[in-house]
Amino acid sequence: MQLTISKTDQLKNKPDQSRLDFGTLFTDHMFNMDYNTEKGWHSPRIEPYVPISMDPSTMVLHYGQAVFEGLKAYRTDSGNIQLFRPGDNFRRLNRSCEKLCIPPFDEDLALEALKQLLTIEKDWVPGAAGTSLYIRPTIIAMDPFLGVRASFTYRFFIILSPVGAYYAEGFNPVKIWVTRDHVRAVRGGVGEAKTPGNYAASLYAGEEAHRHGFTQVLWLDGVEQKYIEEVGAMNIFFLIDNELVTPELNGSILPGITRESVVALAKHWNIKVSERKISIDDVMQAHDSGTLQEVFGSGTAAVISPVGQLKYGDRTITIGDNRVGPIAKKLYKAIMDIQYGKTADPLGWIEPVC
Ligand SMILES: Cc1ncc(COP(=O)(O)O)c(C=O)c1O
């Protein structure tokens, strides 16, 4: 399949790099590709960034048959642009497609198209510390039809957005609310897919947490409401008695690429790592016995997000004196240094772009 490129002659003004926030500005071009049952995936193309026009009956608007990804392009000190494990994002996107009955796409073609798009948009990749160009590949169901079934037509698009440093106000621990009333995903559902419904389902509890002065929700499993799953839109880690524990992938947890990187790096450093079931009671007991050393989330946006306080029912526990622990700090620096090309890439995660 031939990728076609048509460029705009009306370039937008680039933003002030010291005032970037998240997801508000978009670059000049986007990638598009369509699917229908006769041609399969076809017409991959880079075009000017424009709104998508759709019929009000378009299926994605009604039944949420859609999947997406989130990754970043980084500018190194020498001005090169690079990606962190992009092949894993496209593999996960295809796994999400399978869950949502969306036909699979060619991952090599998608990565090649992304690299070409980034090459065209390289001046949009900011260079200030901690900034990056956020990449949002998305696939949506396009049939104009109100019946409930999988769509016969789809649009795959990739848009790019320059984003500021996540920790503009410092790398500080956050307060987490363990919800007992709401669940994000259930056994047999679509929790392991990156699909909009999971995020819609998380809003109510998130707003409740904010109302009570907490930053994020800690999700328990949807069956027994006992085992820990995720924190906000991140995976979660506990350092207990020098063992790094993260919930095992069980179908309702998103298999985070940062999670996998944390596990791999910790093993590389000879830290004992376990992917297993861990209950909220285990965490409370570890705290009471003095063995709960660190808690942190992991995800593309923040890389590592240390947790300083956990509220569960009537109890609020403080972790590590509400300070960032040494393992969280070391992982944060190690992953950021690899992403920004400040250090060697011991596990082969970097994909150079231009
Ligand atoms: C629900 C959820 N869990 C975990 C993650 C972390 O995944 P990753 O490390 O691939 O960004 C994300 C973010 O993408 C997410 O949305």
Side-chain angles (χ1 to χ4, degrees):
M1 253 189 301
Q2 189 64 33
L3 178 74
T4 61
I5 298 176
S6 49
K7 291 198 193 171
T8 178
D9 48 17
Q10 298 195 325
L11 297 178
K12 300 170 189 169
N13 291 327
K14 305 280 185 305
D16 174 351
Q17 291 199 17
S18 64
R19 293 154 151 255
L20 292 169
D21 30 55
F22 182 83
T24 50
L25 294 168
F26 299 93
T27 67
D28 296 304
H29 299 89
M30 65 190 293
F31 169 73
N32 283 304
M33 177 163 73
D34 297 304
Y35 177 92
N36 64 33
T37 38
E38 298 81 56
K39 294 189 187 163
W41 285 110
H42 63 280
S43 311
R45 56 203 187 274
I46 291 170
E47 296 176 309
Y49 183 103
V50 286
I52 298 175
S53 154
M54 56 174 79
D55 193 278
S57 70
T58 303
M59 289 182 80
V60 66
L61 301 175
H62 302 273
Y63 307 118
Q65 194 196 7
V67 292
F68 65 97
E69 269 304 323
L71 67 159
K72 289 173 172 176
Y74 307 90
R75 183 179 288 279
T76 67
D77 288 340
S78 47
N80 296 331
I81 310 301
Q82 59 184 33
L83 293 161
F84 181 74
R85 309 187 69 173
D88 292 297
N89 288 92
F90 287 123
R91 257 190 296 287
R92 184 170 68 186
L93 188 60
N94 253 339
R95 288 204 305 274
S96 298
C97 282
E98 189 180 350
K99 275 267 168 181
L100 272 288
C101 298
I102 296 172
F105 61 90
D106 179 339
E107 290 162 21
D108 294 336
L109 179 139
L111 180 54
E112 191 46 43
L114 171 60
K115 286 165 81 173
Q116 292 221 29
L117 178 62
L118 288 169
T119 304
I120 291 170
E121 303 290 57
K122 63 177 184 294
D123 292 347
W124 280 94
V125 185
T131 62
S132 57
L133 188 67
Y134 186 77
I135 301 164
R136 172 53 59 87
T138 306
I139 304 179
I140 55 176
M142 289 298 285
D143 281 8
F145 177 61
L146 284 188
V148 179
R149 58 155 172 76
S151 181
F152 299 138
T153 57
Y154 298 89
R155 165 73 66 87
F156 183 152
F157 62 87
I158 303 178
I159 55 176
L160 309 174
S161 174
V163 297
Y166 191 88
Y167 290 111
E169 277 141 43
F171 185 47
N172 296 317
V174 294
K175 289 168 68 181
I176 298 298
W177 166 277
V178 185
T179 176
R180 295 198 288 192
D181 300 327
H182 310 285
V183 296
R184 172 187 170 273
V186 292
R187 188 160 68 205
V190 291
E192 68 183 348
K194 214 162 160 61
T195 187
N198 288 331
Y199 297 81
S202 75
L203 298 177
Y204 193 95
E207 296 218 339
E208 191 170 67
H210 291 155
R211 268 202 305 280
H212 288 90
F214 291 80
T215 314
Q216 296 277 7
V217 173
L218 186 138
W219 302 104
L220 299 178
D221 74 279
V223 180
E224 295 175 72
Q225 286 185 264
K226 182 172 162 189
Y227 295 102
I228 290 169
E229 300 231 312
E230 304 201 47
V231 57
M234 285 182 286
N235 297 111
I236 188 159
F237 286 84
F238 301 89
L239 186 70
I240 301 175
D241 204 9
N242 295 321
E243 179 191 26
L244 194 57
V245 182
T246 192
E248 66 189 2
L249 299 178
N250 59 359
S252 50
I253 293 174
L254 191 89
I257 290 156
T258 320
R259 173 190 181 280
E260 208 177 290
S261 308
V262 166
V263 168
L265 271 180
K267 286 183 178 167
H268 190 66
W269 296 335
N270 293 320
I271 294 172
K272 186 173 175 210
V273 185
S274 297
E275 298 178 55
R276 61 170 160 86
K277 276 189 164 181
I278 176 166
S279 70
I280 186 68
D281 293 333
D282 294 337
V283 172
M284 290 295 171
Q285 270 166 26
H287 172 264
D288 293 345
S289 66
T291 55
L292 180 62
Q293 297 155 281
E294 295 190 34
V295 180
F296 54 86
S298 72
T300 297
V303 183
I304 298 292
S305 178
V307 175
Q309 265 183 30
L310 269 183
K311 179 172 167 58
Y312 177 54
D314 307 332
R315 294 194 63 190
T316 301
I317 62 168
T318 299
I319 299 131
D321 288 333
N322 206 16
R323 284 202 283 266
V324 183
I327 298 294
K329 224 181 255 174
K330 184 172 172 183
L331 283 162
Y332 178 68
K333 179 165 178 359
I335 296 174
M336 292 276 281
D337 282 354
I338 294 171
Q339 289 172 335
Y340 287 90
K342 291 184 192 301
T343 184
D345 169 26
L347 299 165
W349 288 334
I350 290 302
E351 177 86 31
V353 176
C354 59

